[in-house]
């Protein structure tokens, strides 16, 4: 007998994180890495967080070190409720929010609560690779729906909804991996298709605050559909290392079951981090801080697109995001980004091949680039190296 004989079916069907492997391979300081989904560390408000850290210890004492309630710090949850009410016209209270250990835990908890083996899950094609990983532990049946420039392909979505589907997972704003954003018309079409159906809609929105251009669009289901879940995080706006995310839903019955799953998982999210984030938010302007991040990322995204225009062959296409952290590259038909990756690494540049963002796809001619974790000169040099490689490929 080997250890494999003792493993659950769920863990055996769950792929390891491809990005984690890439990050290890690209950890050499000489490698220009566009592989991670890393916020730029110069955006972290370190001095302000240090002041908050000292203040919460002095003000709240042992409370910041003690066990706490599963749902999370009530004051932080109320802050989130009021911010979303103000920005999106929702009607939330602290009771509509559960704090999580990053958005990744939210995906894991939702899957535990909703999925049995063989249940259907509709995902975008392509979709966030760590969501595939989180859901795979429960051995669902995936139904990928093509992601177009406007959003979900409505015809394919209608077809997918003919199956026994428990939930739909979407990233409507600056999608990971493509950087695309659903149009308002597409959001309305998706909402109309889901009305009257007993299907949970998950809108994962880690990047929505990072819009460079235009106005924020209304959510697909939040405030409109009875089985709507909205996911948010402070990882992209304050600091990722605190792992402070949250689940929003007006369906308190659904939240009650998620809370039970969280109790079984970790009792509660790190309370010190919650106090720290809350104190930071109440003593500083989050909007002003985000404005600085957006200006930085706009410049970096433009630097990458300018470099791609200069160095990439005309046969290579790429998205032009208006926010977020990523853009998506489509190579000529028949060219494998996975096979290209080791050649790129030899030239000291890294990206994420498209394969892990799909369900059961191999040698995809797509790849993801992250532009937020390198300065503009480094971005230009990395794209030049990648462009030289692409020009040499048959």
């Amino acid at each position: 007998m080997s250890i494999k004989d003792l493993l659950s079916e769920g863990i055996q069907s769950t792929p390891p994180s491809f990005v984690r492997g890439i990050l290890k391979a690209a950890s050499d300081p000489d490698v220009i890495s566009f592989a991670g989904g890393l916020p730029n560390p110069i955006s972290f408000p370190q001095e302000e967080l240090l002041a908050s850290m000292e203040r919460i210890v002095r003000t709240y004492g042992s409370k910041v070190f003690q066990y706490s309630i599963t749902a999370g710090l009530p004051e932080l949850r109320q802050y989130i409720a009021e911010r979303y009410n103000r920005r999106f016209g929702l009607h939330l209270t602290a009771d509509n929010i559960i704090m999580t250990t990053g958005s990744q835990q939210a995906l894991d908890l939702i899957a535990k609560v909703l999925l049995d083996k063989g249940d259907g899950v509709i995902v975008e094609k392509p979709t966030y690779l760590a969501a595939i990983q989180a859901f795979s532990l429960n051995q669902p049946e995936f139904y990928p729906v093509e992601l177009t420039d406007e959003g979900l392909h409505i015809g394919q979505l209608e077809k997918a909804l003919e199956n026994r589907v428990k939930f739909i997972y979407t990233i409507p704003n600056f999608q990971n991996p493509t950087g695309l954003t659903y149009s308002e018309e597409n959001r309305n079409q998706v909402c109309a298709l889901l009305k009257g159906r007993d299907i949970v809609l998950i809108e994962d929105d880690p990047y929505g605050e990072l819009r460079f251009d235009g106005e924020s669009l209304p959510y697909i289901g939040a405030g409109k559909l009875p089985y709507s879940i909205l996911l948010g995080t402070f990882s992209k706006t304050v600091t990722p290392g605190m792992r402070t995310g949250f689940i929003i839903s007006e369906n308190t019955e659904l939240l009650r079951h998620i809370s039970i799953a969280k109790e079984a998982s970790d009792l509660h999210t790190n309370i010190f981090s919650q106090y720290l984030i809350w104190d930071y938010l109440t003593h500083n302007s989050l909007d002003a801080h985000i404005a600085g991040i957006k200006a930085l990322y706009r410049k970096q995204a433009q630097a990458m697109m300018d470099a791609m225009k200069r160095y990439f062959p005309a046969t290579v296409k790429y998205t032009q995001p208006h926010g977020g952290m990523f853009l998506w590259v489509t190579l000529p038909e028949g060219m494998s980004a996975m096979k290209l990756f080791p050649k790129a690494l030899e030239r000291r540049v890294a990206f994420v091949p498209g394969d892990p963002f799909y369900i059961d796809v191999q040698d995809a001619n797509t790849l993801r680039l992250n532009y937020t974790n390198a300065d503009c000169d480094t971005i230009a040099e990395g794209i030049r190296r990648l462009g030289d490689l692409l020009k040499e490929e048959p």
Side-chain angles (χ1 to χ4, degrees):
M1 177 180 284
S2 69
I3 188 63
K4 188 174 181 180
D5 297 313
L6 301 175
L7 298 176
S8 69
E9 291 182 11
I11 197 64
Q12 292 189 59
S13 67
T14 302
S17 172
F18 189 84
V19 170
R20 293 297 165 191
I22 282 182
L23 290 179
K24 186 176 180 180
S27 61
D28 186 325
D30 292 331
V31 173
I32 297 174
S33 178
F34 303 131
L38 302 177
N40 196 315
I42 68 173
S43 71
F44 302 159
Q46 296 184 51
E47 291 302 317
E48 293 86 350
L49 288 171
L50 179 59
S52 286
M53 194 178 303
E54 294 174 345
R55 189 161 44 236
I56 63 173
V57 173
R58 289 197 189 100
T59 305
Y60 303 106
S62 62
K63 286 184 178 180
V64 304
F65 302 111
Q66 185 57 279
Y67 285 118
S68 188
I69 60 175
T70 299
L73 185 66
E75 294 89 344
L76 179 56
R77 288 155 51 214
Q78 186 61 36
Y79 175 97
I80 294 166
E82 291 173 0
R83 184 171 179 85
Y84 276 77
N85 291 344
R86 184 170 64 251
R87 294 187 68 223
F88 298 102
L90 301 178
H91 304 284
L92 305 171
T93 70
D95 291 337
N96 298 117
I97 294 161
I98 294 176
M99 303 306 301
T100 60
T101 306
S103 294
Q104 191 65 26
Q105 186 189 44
L107 299 177
D108 176 63
L109 295 176
I110 291 166
K112 286 177 178 175
V113 168
L114 295 178
L115 292 180
D116 291 313
K117 183 177 179 179
D119 284 341
V121 174
I122 294 175
V123 294
E124 300 155 331
K125 182 182 179 182
T127 191
Y128 176 44
L129 53 82
I132 296 174
Q133 188 180 39
F135 303 153
S136 292
L137 276 165
N138 299 83
Q139 300 176 272
E141 186 72 34
F142 287 105
Y143 298 102
V145 172
E146 202 76 43
L147 188 65
T148 73
D149 290 344
E150 297 298 312
L152 286 175
H153 188 292
I154 297 302
Q156 289 186 20
L157 178 58
E158 287 180 307
K159 185 72 174 175
L161 286 169
E162 294 175 4
N163 299 287
R164 186 169 63 92
V165 172
K166 282 286 188 73
F167 66 78
I168 301 177
Y169 174 70
T170 66
I171 312 169
N173 296 316
F174 318 120
Q175 195 250 10
N176 182 357
T178 65
L180 294 170
T181 295
Y182 292 26
S183 69
E184 188 165 4
E185 180 181 359
N186 187 264
R187 293 169 193 242
N188 291 337
Q189 290 174 319
V190 173
C191 183
L193 270 180
L194 295 182
K195 279 185 177 175
R197 298 178 188 264
D198 294 331
I199 296 175
V200 173
L201 171 68
I202 302 168
E203 297 181 81
D204 193 357
D205 191 31
Y207 315 106
E209 297 258 26
L210 305 180
R211 174 178 284 278
F212 315 149
D213 307 302
E215 299 295 322
S216 295
L217 297 174
Y219 288 112
I220 299 168
K224 304 168 191 173
L225 297 174
Y227 304 115
S228 167
I229 294 177
L230 181 59
L231 305 183
T233 180
F234 292 107
S235 290
K236 309 303 186 291
T237 55
V238 182
T239 166
M242 295 296 174
R243 308 304 300 129
T244 310
F246 47 92
I247 299 172
I248 298 174
S249 182
E250 294 185 29
N251 192 313
T252 53
E253 177 68 10
L254 180 55
L255 282 183
R256 185 176 69 81
H257 292 289
I258 293 173
S259 182
I260 292 170
K262 183 167 173 61
E263 286 174 14
S265 178
D266 69 352
L267 298 182
H268 64 80
T269 291
N270 185 308
I271 192 61
F272 187 92
S273 294
Q274 293 183 61
Y275 268 104
L276 181 58
I277 293 288
W278 175 63
D279 185 88
Y280 167 79
L281 294 171
T282 54
H283 287 86
N284 299 275
S285 170
L286 180 60
D287 289 336
H289 177 65
I290 291 174
I293 298 174
K294 292 193 292 186
L296 174 65
Y297 289 179
R298 180 190 290 113
K299 185 178 179 181
Q300 291 172 297
Q302 192 61 54
M304 182 168 280
M305 289 186 286
D306 289 346
M308 291 164 80
K309 184 176 181 181
R310 180 177 180 183
Y311 296 117
F312 277 15
T315 53
V316 175
K317 309 301 179 186
Y318 49 90
T319 57
Q320 300 188 34
H322 297 285
M325 299 171 59
F326 306 103
L327 56 77
W328 188 240
V329 177
T330 302
L331 305 174
E333 199 68 39
M335 186 181 292
S336 166
M338 187 67 77
K339 292 176 181 174
L340 195 70
F341 175 74
K343 299 178 184 179
L345 206 56
E346 289 176 1
R347 304 201 181 203
R348 324 308 286 167
V349 62
F351 57 82
V352 185
D355 291 25
F357 298 101
Y358 298 100
I359 306 296
D360 296 328
V361 170
Q362 292 183 328
D363 291 323
N365 66 325
T366 50
L367 59 95
R368 188 191 76 177
L369 297 176
N370 165 250
Y371 48 76
T372 60
N373 195 40
D375 62 50
C376 293
D377 289 342
T378 303
I379 288 171
E381 172 59 19
I383 294 299
R384 184 195 65 77
R385 296 179 192 179
L386 192 52
D388 288 346
L389 174 60
L390 291 170
K391 290 172 184 174
E392 295 172 12
E393 288 298 297

